Amino acid sequence: MAIQVTYFSDPGCPWAYSVNPALSVLHWRYGDQLSWQLVMIGLTETAGQYEARGYTPARIALAYRAFRRLGMPFATEPRERVPATGRACRAIVATGLVHPGREWAVFRALQIAWFTTTLLLDEDGPIEQVLSGVRGVEADRILAEIDSPQVEAAYLAGRSQARTAAGSPTAFQGKAANTDGSTRYTAPSLIFASRERRLEAGGFQPVEAYDVLIANLDPRLDRRQAAASAEDVLDRFPDGLTTQEVAAIMTAGNDPVDRNRAEQSLVELATQTRARRISAGDDAIWLPTPGSRPVTAMTTGRASSAETASASV
């Protein structure tokens, strides 16, 4: 029986974006033994909410520098203005209703676009531009549905679910927030549930925290060991990963992540035309070259990095 994972997130949160290496490790280790539900927090409905808190395009762009230490690609060119996140969240919810399962690909596409481009992702034009690069998604159909009563009801239901953190272990750890009158789960927050047991990992956590919760919920799961090579990783993730994600998957136990080793291996694969590098921000998405080796895809419902790269760079 799969462990159910509820993932509270938002495409405009740099902490949620930066947790992707840890989540990629979970997909590598456990695959379909984890069943994921994506819940949009909806951090802001209007740009004015961020502006009232003192956010400016320059302040946000400069803040991205601090997140580089966590490994995901970032760009520091300031936007024209600060965008709100609610519209992009609705696009993700709409995708889940129009193309069930593809909301993960759209979510990741919007994340990468949010942090490596200057697109104003609270406007329909830029959102459609990103969605148009995602395989298996009809961008025009999603935009046509984004204001429908069904999408709004589903979005508001998830938003309300995200605002039930009062008295939770997440709040106990100081990892909840109250920015609009209700105590909410911060992005990224994960709740793992198996049968009647439920364990929380609120806010940004290292992969070791997630692994401990999973081990306590069900030690009978199959747990894949660290990848032996970058090529093994790309064989399992044919839609591509960032350098840090590959490095994390190649890391055993609590060893330090060796990004240099992973990048050297990826560059060598690219030199041998066994991998492709697509620039994204200050890093890249790495993809296997079609036909270089037989592909055994991970069927986890996770986002497609290749699609997101084409949508956002």
Side-chain angles (χ1 to χ4, degrees), residues 23-289:
L23 300 189
S24 293
V25 170
L26 296 187
H27 290 302
W28 168 267
R29 288 179 182 170
Y30 300 106
D32 287 340
Q33 296 172 105
L34 303 180
S35 179
W36 294 77
Q37 178 195 13
L38 180 61
V39 179
M40 290 292 98
I41 294 172
L43 290 174
T44 51
E45 292 299 307
T46 68
Q49 290 174 273
Y50 279 138
E51 292 165 358
R53 299 173 200 165
Y55 288 96
T56 65
R59 177 183 171 186
I60 291 173
L62 290 170
Y64 288 169
R65 295 181 304 169
F67 287 94
R68 285 175 169 166
R69 64 187 171 84
L70 300 174
M72 288 295 285
F74 282 89
T76 54
E77 182 180 355
R79 281 184 166 86
E80 175 186 333
R81 60 172 179 80
V82 180
T85 71
R87 195 71 175 167
C89 289
R90 287 175 174 84
I92 294 161
V93 172
T95 304
L97 295 178
V98 174
H99 301 295
R102 299 305 291 158
E103 66 271 20
W104 292 93
V106 167
F107 173 55
R108 181 158 163 116
L110 288 166
Q111 278 189 309
I112 291 180
W114 204 287
F115 297 106
T116 65
T117 79
T118 58
L119 292 173
L120 296 173
L121 293 168
D122 55 358
E123 297 178 359
D124 287 358
I127 290 174
E128 185 172 14
Q129 179 181 337
V130 173
L131 269 57
S132 295
V134 181
R135 176 178 52 85
V137 165
E138 300 170 276
D140 56 347
R141 186 177 170 195
I142 291 170
L143 267 295
E145 293 292 328
I146 197 170
D147 291 314
S148 70
Q150 294 84 356
V151 168
E152 189 67 12
Y155 168 65
L156 292 178
R159 200 169 185 274
S160 295
Q161 184 182 353
R163 284 157 175 77
T164 59
S168 68
T170 296
F172 175 80
Q173 277 199 300
K175 290 182 173 289
N178 188 332
T179 53
D180 51 20
S182 298
T183 303
R184 62 169 173 80
Y185 289 98
T186 53
S189 288
L190 276 65
I191 298 177
F192 299 85
S194 179
R195 300 179 178 87
E196 68 279 359
R197 299 185 66 196
R198 168 186 163 113
L199 299 174
E200 294 190 11
F204 186 88
Q205 299 278 0
V207 67
E208 291 84 2
Y210 304 138
D211 211 46
V212 167
L213 298 188
I214 291 169
N216 277 275
L217 281 174
D218 194 346
R220 299 166 298 177
L221 296 181
D222 293 327
R223 185 179 185 276
R224 184 180 287 110
Q225 297 303 306
S229 71
E231 191 165 24
D232 289 342
V233 176
L234 295 186
D235 284 346
R236 290 279 180 169
F237 293 86
D239 290 319
L241 294 172
T242 64
T243 305
Q244 189 72 12
E245 288 172 304
V246 173
I249 292 170
M250 293 174 65
T251 301
N254 294 339
D255 291 350
V257 174
D258 191 343
R259 183 185 174 106
N260 287 333
R261 172 191 169 217
E263 188 166 32
Q264 179 177 342
S265 181
L266 289 163
V267 169
E268 290 171 353
L269 289 174
T271 301
Q272 299 162 13
T273 68
R274 290 153 63 190
R276 289 190 297 129
R277 183 187 189 278
I278 300 176
S279 294
D282 58 349
D283 186 37
I285 308 293
W286 299 89
L287 303 98
T289 301

